Amino acid sequence: RLLALGRAAARYGGRLLTHDATLRALASLRVALLHRRLALPWEAMARLRPGAALTRLTADVDALDGVALRLALPLAATAAALVLTLGLLAWLADPRLALAIVATEAGAAAWVLWRAASRAGRQAVRAERLRQGLIRATIATLRGQADLAVTGGLAARAGILQARGLAADRAEAAETRIAARADAGLGLATSAGLAVALAYGGHLVAAEDLPPARAAMALLAALALGEALAGLRPGLTGLGRMADAARRVFGADPVPAAAPPIRPDAATGALLRVEAVTLTRPGATVPVFEPVSLTLSPGRRLALTGPSGQGKSTLLALIAGLVPPTEGRIVLEGRALADWPEPDLRACLTLVPQRAALIAGSVLDNLALARDGLDPAEAQAALEAVALWPVLAPRGGLGAPLGEGGAGLSGGEARRLVLARAILRRPRVLLLDEPTEGLDAATARAVLDGLGRALPQAAILVAAHSPLEQLWADDILRL
């Protein structure tokens, strides 16, 4: 009775301890993964698509939580159970009987689990990848369902999703069959342990080397060992999925590019100075662009021009400190860019890239990312500066709801919302990558004029394709 009650208490305590340890491990894992993402090169981060990346990352974290809960802890508990059973049976019953039972049952279970793990590994990876592909395809279909309905492709797309779902179901069914066979094999291993306990224990009882009551304890121990060994099956059959996730999550650390040398710099009147800066990508023999030098003072605007692919966006990323230059140096307010602490640099300099980064929530929620304690009146003034307030006012103004990624706004409206957020940061240096792309001429002119009025003392560097952007600038630099 004491052992039965103790078993229930131990199970409850084990659940508390293992789940607490697992949740702590998952919290640490999520933080570590975010740090690894931040360590990626800027170009790699720019290529990430939020939906696919988040789906993949969530699945990998879900797979890795099994390392602690379904693999490491059951292995440790089973090893402890085997050692404890062997010791107690050797003391209470007979050392020879204890060794025979543990060796038979553990050996048979190890063979069954090894076979199951080797067969389930590839099947688990295939099932997981099919399931992830189905999730991504479903999300893409839901996002584009209006366009598919208009073009008549919704039924065909639904057929593709159904076929993918059936393929994923078949793969998971195959994985389930392997697990069921492993459970049956572990049952046979327990039966083998019981048979050894009955046969060898009976022999010892007949030879009067062991009391019958203690031989009965050996039978109960063999039965309990089967339950301990059965706890290993979920972790070992899911080992392939865990290993596949670990290869992605804990692969080779991204190698950061070499930081530019830190050199002392005398204070000048220029807010921003770029000195013979260029970038050569790893493995390339030719730089992205020839060495660039420029000087930008407060209140001045400089337009970068040149054909598409010439490196205008890359130069902005260099000046923003997202990518270190191969040669040359960048000086901001008299200090080398490499000397700036990250928070101070972001408070001084703001980059608005081509892709608008917005979140689900209200317009004010998106603007509040600029800084804490944002005043609604100031937020409205920023929207007026980029000619967006007349568009949003009829929809609810600052409280207008936006979907994921800013859904509900057109491309030009989303770009203007991001520009309004940049204004609210009050940067001393503002870097703009094609800020009026997708806007008609009248709106583009209004946006540029509003930026100039809102940030009269800011040094503005703009990658310009539009003639309006070039006319708005005080100077032009062609790459």
Side-chain angles (χ1 to χ4, degrees):
R1 287 174 184 171
L2 178 64
L3 289 174
L5 293 174
R7 178 174 182 269
R11 274 180 171 266
Y12 180 72
R15 290 290 176 90
L16 287 179
L17 291 174
T18 55
H19 282 70
D20 179 70
T22 302
L23 291 174
R24 290 179 184 275
L26 286 176
S28 300
L29 177 61
R30 285 175 169 86
V31 174
L33 290 180
L34 289 175
H35 280 299
R36 288 180 59 83
R37 289 292 184 187
L38 290 174
L40 289 173
W42 171 73
E43 294 91 341
M45 294 183 70
R47 287 194 295 268
L48 288 177
R49 292 298 178 265
L54 181 61
T55 300
R56 178 72 272 170
L57 198 62
T58 302
D60 287 343
V61 171
D62 288 343
L64 290 174
D65 75 354
V67 174
L69 190 60
R70 292 189 290 274
L71 189 63
L73 290 173
L75 278 172
T78 301
L82 289 172
V83 172
L84 186 62
T85 301
L86 181 63
L88 285 175
L89 278 181
W91 175 52
L92 292 174
D94 185 276
R96 297 165 297 175
L97 178 60
L99 185 61
I101 293 173
V102 171
T104 299
E105 198 161 343
W111 183 82
V112 169
L113 291 171
W114 173 76
R115 293 273 295 175
S118 60
R119 290 181 177 179
R122 290 187 298 274
Q123 195 63 45
V125 171
R126 180 172 178 270
E128 179 63 25
R129 290 181 178 176
L130 286 171
R131 185 61 61 188
Q132 288 303 309
L134 175 62
I135 291 172
R136 289 193 295 271
T138 303
I139 292 173
T141 302
L142 291 173
R143 286 177 174 170
Q145 60 182 323
D147 294 336
L148 288 169
V150 170
T151 58
L154 197 56
R157 185 68 177 176
I160 293 173
L161 292 179
Q162 186 176 17
R164 288 191 176 189
L166 290 173
D169 288 343
R170 285 194 293 269
E172 289 185 354
E175 186 182 3
T176 302
R177 285 194 295 272
I178 294 172
R181 290 173 187 148
D183 289 337
L186 289 174
L188 292 176
T190 303
S191 299
L194 285 170
V196 168
L198 185 61
Y200 195 27
H203 169 73
L204 293 175
V205 169
E208 297 185 350
D209 289 338
L210 183 67
R214 298 196 176 191
M217 291 177 62
L219 287 171
L220 296 175
L223 192 62
L225 268 185
E227 185 176 342
L229 291 167
L232 295 176
R233 198 275 303 159
L236 290 176
T237 53
L239 190 58
R241 182 181 284 105
M242 298 177 199
D244 186 50
R247 278 191 292 270
R248 274 187 301 275
V249 171
F250 301 112
D253 288 327
V255 180
I262 300 175
R263 305 187 182 102
D265 181 53
T268 67
L271 189 57
L272 173 69
R273 192 167 70 254
V274 177
E275 300 175 350
V277 163
T278 189
L279 175 71
T280 303
R281 300 191 187 280
T285 57
V286 179
V288 177
F289 44 75
E290 295 299 319
V292 173
S293 297
L294 62 89
T295 301
L296 200 55
S297 301
R300 300 292 291 179
R301 308 162 189 162
L302 176 62
L304 297 173
T305 66
S308 295
Q310 196 69 31
K312 297 185 294 297
S313 298
T314 302
L315 179 58
L316 292 182
L318 289 169
I319 296 173
L322 300 176
V323 181
T326 307
E327 297 178 8
R329 69 171 184 163
I330 302 168
V331 180
L332 180 64
E333 292 189 340
R335 297 166 62 188
L337 199 65
D339 290 342
W340 281 78
E342 182 73 14
D344 295 344
L345 177 61
R346 298 304 154 213
C348 175
L349 180 149
T350 293
L351 168 66
V352 179
Q354 292 181 11
R355 285 176 58 190
L358 298 172
I359 62 172
S362 68
V363 170
L364 184 59
D365 290 336
N366 280 272
L367 293 176
L369 296 175
R371 66 170 185 271
D372 294 333
L374 179 63
D375 180 29
E378 193 176 0
Q380 180 177 334
L383 293 173
E384 291 172 347
V386 296
L388 190 56
W389 180 251
V391 177
L392 293 176
R395 306 182 193 175
L398 295 174
L402 302 180
E404 181 184 355
L409 298 177
S410 68
E413 291 167 353
R415 183 175 295 272
R416 281 184 280 167
L417 183 56
V418 174
L419 287 172
R421 188 167 62 200
I423 289 174
L424 292 169
R425 291 187 64 81
R426 300 295 175 192
R428 299 191 289 280
V429 176
L430 179 60
L431 309 178
L432 303 173
D433 198 348
E434 301 182 25
T436 62
E437 180 70 20
L439 302 181
D440 61 80
T443 304
R445 189 177 296 107
V447 168
L448 293 173
D449 291 342
L451 280 171
R453 289 192 301 270
L455 301 172
Q457 296 302 314
I460 301 178
L461 183 62
V462 53
H465 270 301
S466 163
L468 277 174
E469 294 169 349
Q470 298 175 29
L471 289 172
W472 177 69
D474 300 308
D475 300 293
I476 295 177
L477 175 64
R478 183 174 177 82
L479 293 188

